[in-house]
């Protein structure tokens, strides 16, 4: 008796995204496997760009490394420099004055504001809401200007130094910064409202890329990704470094655990950051010059180890520094938040559609600015009817 | 009960305790106890109340050892503690934690690729996770102290 039915097991379509892609700012390969429209597996492939910064740090002196560490990432350069600088201060037993601590907080929160606005703008673009993207980027220029006034540069600030900061602000600049922040606040409130009310945004983000509370810690997710799953972790609250213990603010958490919650954490944190900056600038202490005399700093460091943490825009960033008593560090270990959030993100995609892939990916705020759209490879070139494994399992063929 | 008091339940594994700056408690344990230590940590804290923040491998060439540090953040207080162990430099091998704590994936893969520590049981270990192709071909681990790059 001949066969009456031919069962064809469908191909699992492989969708490589990266490592070189017009929209990827950093090299990474997301290899997604899809059955029809449904993603069944994602592999995260790294290794396309080894910069050797940790090895480089061992070959440069402690102070030069402040500039190297500030260039690990453009978007979060002051937090990198701050974390490394504080690791050095722990080793030396140096503490900046209160004015310097407040100014450090302002610089780092400026970065948080522009970074969160950037990723929310990119999310809007990914969703196809290009006019919203452009409006957000236009408003983001205010904070870029503010960062330039404070640090001297729009992006790479080089603001941190052992024992303080590199520039003070005068009354005129301080008033200008407060004015810019007050202009920005209603715009951010409007964008937040849009993310709460716009039907298209909600349809794309709500219940997409769900991350449970337990998986958030089990897979070591940090920052807004973890806080979007109701994990109350924030280095600013636990370590209270610099002036975070003096300035009033709240840790933001959401219970939903989806892409929407992650973006909402960022909007709320942007508003908190604006308020923190206004408070810090209005209550700027006058306990001395925040710019220390570099010539008084020791060239050689005492033997010892230190481990500094900072709440970067994307989550907990850590620097381990080991000194054996010389002018160069023996070991510097940097662990960026995206290292955890991106590499462990493979669990978030299965079960969602290909169109959800960029949404989930962007909701992690990876150091890769934009995923844009993915191309679906049509394997069904003939007229055969492919049966999905799921359907096969159910006996529907 | 504070998280540090809770850690007393794991005291049997610790051979030495001290502090690194600014206030991180370091607990030194024997490398063969790694898995049992973390299994007990899971029992005491539960998956929801800690996460492995980072794994730091350091080549102590003069001592002929590789030092391996597991930085763990204990919740809800978010206290960072360090579980530290030493491996022989010629054959730095230790059990993988990936079957019980999937969040160590990135740390184990990185430490293998850059320092050369082999995590037994981690099937995702591969050269070239971060380093360029020529390092893989030359079989060098760039963060070893005797490697010039």
């Amino acid at each position: 008796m001949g066969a009456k039915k031919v069962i064809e097991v469908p191909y699992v379509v492989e969708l490589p995204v990266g490592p070189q892609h017009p929209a990827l700012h950093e090299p990474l390969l997301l290899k997604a496997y899809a059955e029809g429209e449904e993603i069944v597996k994602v592999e995260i492939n790294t290794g396309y760009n080894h910069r050797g910064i940790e090895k480089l740090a061992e070959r440069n002196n402690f102070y030069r490394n402040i500039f190297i560490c500030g260039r690990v990432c453009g978007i979060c350069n002051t937090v990198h420099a701050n974390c490394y600088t504080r690791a050095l201060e722990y080793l030396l037993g140096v503490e900046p004055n209160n004015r310097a601590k407040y100014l450090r907080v302002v610089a780092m929160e400026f970065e948080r504001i522009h970074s969160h606005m950037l990723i929310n703008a990119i999310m809007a673009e990914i969703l196809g809401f290009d006019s919203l993207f452009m409006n957000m980027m236009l408003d983001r220029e205010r904070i870029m200007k503010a960062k330039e006034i404070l640090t001297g540069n729009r992006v790479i600030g080089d603001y941190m130094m052992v024992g303080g900061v590199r520039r003070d602000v005068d009354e005129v600049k301080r008033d200008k910064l407060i004015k810019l922040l007050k202009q920005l606040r209603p715009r951010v409130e409007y964008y937040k409202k849009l993310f709460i009310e716009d039907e298209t945004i909600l349809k794309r983000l709500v219940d997409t890329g769900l991350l449970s509370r337990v998986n958030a810690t089990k897979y070591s997710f940090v920052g807004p990704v973890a806080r979007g799953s109701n994990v109350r972790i924030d280095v600013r609250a636990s370590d209270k470094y610099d002036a975070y213990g003096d300035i009033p603010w709240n840790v933001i958490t959401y219970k939903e655990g989806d892409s929407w919650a992650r973006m909402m954490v960022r909007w709320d944190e942007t508003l908190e950051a604006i308020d923190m900056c206004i408070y810090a600038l209005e209550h700027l202490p006058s306990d001395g010059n925040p710019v220390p005399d570099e010539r008084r700093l020791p060239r050689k460091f005492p033997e010892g180890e230190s481990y500094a943490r900072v709440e970067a825009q994307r989550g907990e960033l850590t620097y381990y520094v080991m000194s054996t008593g010389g002018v160069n560090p023996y070991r510097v270990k940097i662990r960026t938040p995206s290292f955890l959030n991106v590499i462990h993100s493979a669990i978030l995609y299965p079960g969602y559609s290909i169109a959800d892939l960029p949404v989930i990916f962007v909701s992690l705020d990876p150091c890769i600015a934009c995923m844009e759209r993915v191309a679906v490879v049509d394997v069904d070139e003939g007229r055969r009817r492919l049966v999905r494994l799921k359907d096969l399992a159910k006996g529907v063929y | 009960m504070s998280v540090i008091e809770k850690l007393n339940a794991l005291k049997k594994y610790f051979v030495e305790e001290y502090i690194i700056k600014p206030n991180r408690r370091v607990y030194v344990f024997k490398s063969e106890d790694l898995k049992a230590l973390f299994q007990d940590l899971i029992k005491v804290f539960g998956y929801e109340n800690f996460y492995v923040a980072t794994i730091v491998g350091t080549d102590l060439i003069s001592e002929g050892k590789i030092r391996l540090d597991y930085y763990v953040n204990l919740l809800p207080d978010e206290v960072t503690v360090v579980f530290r162990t030493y491996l022989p430099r010629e054959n730095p091998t230790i059990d993988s934690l990936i079957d019980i704590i999937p969040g160590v994936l990135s740390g184990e893969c990185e430490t293998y690729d850059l320092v050369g520590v082999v995590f037994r049981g981690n099937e995702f270990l591969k050269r070239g996770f971060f380093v360029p192709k020529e390092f893989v071909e030359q079989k060098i681990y760039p963060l070893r102290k005797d490697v010039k790059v």
Side-chain angles (χ1 to χ4, degrees):
Chain A
M1 201 172 108
K4 289 185 179 173
K5 266 185 182 172
V6 175
I7 301 167
E8 285 194 38
V9 177
Y11 299 105
V12 173
V13 182
E14 185 184 313
L15 309 169
V17 182
Q20 289 167 348
H21 187 278
L24 294 182
H25 291 194
E26 288 183 36
L28 182 93
L29 170 61
L30 274 184
K31 206 184 270 180
Y33 297 88
E35 265 185 43
E37 282 292 313
E38 187 182 320
I39 296 166
V40 289
K41 186 185 164 191
V42 168
E43 282 173 11
I44 316 282
N45 286 291
T46 55
Y48 298 98
N49 182 16
H50 185 65
R51 298 162 74 191
I53 284 186
E54 289 177 13
K55 191 76 173 176
L56 189 64
E58 291 171 10
R59 293 168 62 179
N60 280 278
N61 72 40
F62 285 99
Y63 298 107
R64 274 188 187 176
N65 283 336
I66 297 173
F67 302 99
I68 294 171
C69 294
R71 280 153 181 80
V72 171
C73 176
I75 292 284
C76 32
N77 67 89
T78 60
V79 286
H80 273 273
N82 177 273
C83 197
Y84 175 72
T85 303
R86 278 192 300 109
L88 299 190
E89 287 170 353
Y90 297 149
L91 283 173
L92 289 172
V94 170
E95 201 176 340
N97 65 20
N98 286 329
R99 190 177 178 87
K101 285 180 180 176
Y102 270 62
L103 287 171
R104 282 181 176 186
V105 167
V106 173
M108 289 189 285
E109 292 306 313
F110 277 178
E111 258 186 13
R112 191 177 319 279
I113 297 166
H114 80 63
S115 173
H116 282 356
M117 288 190 76
L118 175 72
I119 200 64
N120 274 302
I122 287 164
M123 180 59 93
E125 194 213 6
I126 286 287
L127 300 178
F129 208 158
D130 280 19
S131 56
L132 180 61
F133 163 79
M134 284 184 262
N135 274 299
M136 282 188 205
M137 292 302 277
L138 185 64
D139 283 319
R140 182 175 170 264
E141 279 305 304
R142 287 195 175 95
I143 205 71
M144 302 307 285
K145 182 70 191 167
K147 192 178 173 192
E148 187 181 358
I149 292 168
L150 182 71
T151 68
N153 210 333
R154 276 166 55 89
V155 183
I156 303 287
D158 283 334
Y159 194 55
M160 306 294 165
M161 63 184 291
V162 174
V165 292
R166 291 197 176 273
R167 285 157 62 109
D168 197 359
V169 284
D170 57 25
E171 297 276 305
V172 179
K173 282 180 183 170
R174 196 193 66 168
D175 293 345
K176 174 78 179 160
L177 292 175
I178 294 172
K179 191 181 163 193
L180 282 167
L181 288 162
K182 286 184 174 169
Q183 283 173 345
L184 183 64
R185 204 181 194 288
R187 298 300 298 160
V188 174
E189 281 171 0
Y190 168 72
Y191 294 131
K192 183 189 161 187
K193 195 177 163 209
L194 212 57
F195 269 65
I196 293 172
E197 293 178 357
D198 185 89
E199 210 174 307
T200 314
I201 292 176
L202 291 175
K203 275 186 178 168
R204 294 299 309 277
L205 298 185
V206 171
D207 289 337
T208 305
L210 278 168
L211 175 67
S212 67
R213 166 72 177 78
V214 68
N215 275 346
T217 44
K218 202 172 170 182
Y219 285 83
S220 296
F221 285 97
V222 290
V225 181
R227 290 194 285 277
S229 293
N230 204 24
V231 184
R232 198 181 182 281
I233 48 170
D234 195 315
V235 185
R236 294 173 293 172
S238 57
D239 273 24
K240 294 187 175 55
Y241 55 93
D242 290 330
Y244 284 109
D246 300 341
I247 298 168
W249 65 283
N250 299 304
V251 177
I252 307 294
T253 54
Y254 273 71
K255 288 180 181 166
E256 288 80 353
D258 52 9
S259 300
W260 178 81
R262 297 192 269 276
M263 303 321 281
M264 289 309 294
V265 167
R266 294 190 182 99
W267 278 130
D268 283 353
E269 285 185 357
T270 307
L271 291 169
E272 284 286 329
I274 292 171
D275 293 344
M276 284 162 84
C277 290
I278 293 171
Y279 180 93
L281 289 165
E282 284 176 346
H283 297 82
L284 209 54
S286 305
D287 60 340
N289 187 357
V291 186
D293 184 356
E294 270 181 304
R295 290 168 301 182
R296 288 174 187 267
L297 294 170
R299 190 164 172 267
K300 280 190 176 180
F301 272 60
E303 248 182 73
E305 301 169 69
S306 68
Y307 180 76
R309 303 163 69 219
V310 72
E311 189 64 31
Q313 297 84 300
R314 299 176 173 102
E316 182 202 35
L317 163 70
T318 70
Y319 270 74
Y320 166 79
V321 180
M322 180 182 172
S323 164
T324 49
V327 293
N328 293 359
Y330 184 82
R331 175 87 166 97
V332 175
K333 169 79 177 85
I334 308 164
R335 203 273 291 136
T336 62
S338 287
F339 182 65
L340 301 177
N341 287 347
V342 172
I343 293 173
H344 300 159
S345 67
I347 58 157
L348 297 178
Y349 304 100
Y352 295 97
S353 73
I354 293 164
D356 291 332
L357 192 141
V359 171
I360 298 169
F361 190 63
V362 169
S363 77
L364 302 172
D365 191 2
C367 251
I368 299 146
C370 181
M371 266 271 306
E372 220 183 323
R373 288 95 192 144
V374 290
V376 179
V377 181
D378 184 9
V379 293
D380 191 4
E381 289 176 352
R383 289 178 179 270
R384 295 169 299 165
R385 185 171 70 88
L386 295 178
V387 184
R388 297 174 65 194
L389 278 176
K390 251 181 156 182
D391 297 338
L392 189 65
K394 289 177 193 162
V396 187
Y397 53 88
Chain B
M1 192 191 280
S2 76
V3 290
I4 297 299
E5 284 167 348
K6 271 185 169 180
L7 266 185
N8 283 336
L10 310 174
K11 219 161 186 172
K12 61 185 175 192
Y13 297 110
F14 306 142
V15 291
E16 198 184 350
E17 289 181 32
Y18 48 90
I19 286 185
I20 63 171
K21 290 174 180 177
N23 54 1
R24 323 291 182 196
R25 286 167 187 267
V26 180
Y27 300 94
V28 183
F29 66 96
K30 290 178 190 161
S31 61
E32 58 268 27
D33 289 341
L34 174 78
K35 210 147 197 178
L37 167 65
F38 275 86
Q39 274 165 343
D40 280 2
L41 187 78
I42 295 165
K43 274 185 208 157
V44 173
F45 285 89
Y47 278 118
E48 296 193 343
N49 286 315
F50 80 93
Y51 68 93
V52 179
T54 183
I55 299 174
V56 182
T58 307
D59 181 15
L60 304 175
I61 191 165
S62 59
E63 297 173 35
K65 290 175 185 169
I66 300 281
R67 193 183 62 205
L68 203 58
D69 296 340
Y70 292 80
Y71 284 78
V72 176
N73 286 344
L74 303 172
L75 309 181
D77 304 348
E78 222 183 311
V79 174
T80 303
V81 293
V82 190
F83 297 119
R84 171 169 286 182
T85 194
Y86 296 88
L87 306 171
R89 199 169 180 274
E90 303 76 49
N91 181 27
T93 305
I94 193 165
D95 285 335
S96 169
L97 293 175
I98 197 143
D99 53 336
I100 52 171
I101 305 171
V104 298
L105 169 73
S106 54
E108 288 190 354
C109 289
E110 184 196 37
T111 312
Y112 171 67
D113 204 24
L114 301 183
V115 190
V117 176
V118 176
F119 294 88
R120 270 188 306 261
N122 184 342
E123 60 187 45
F124 301 101
L125 293 185
K126 61 169 184 181
R127 289 311 310 275
F129 183 71
F130 275 133
V131 302
K133 204 177 160 189
E134 56 265 32
F135 283 17
V136 179
E137 285 164 1
Q138 293 165 27
K139 294 183 179 169
I140 56 173
Y141 299 100
L143 289 185
R144 291 281 185 106
K145 286 290 172 183
D146 50 0
V147 171
K148 303 279 177 231
V149 292

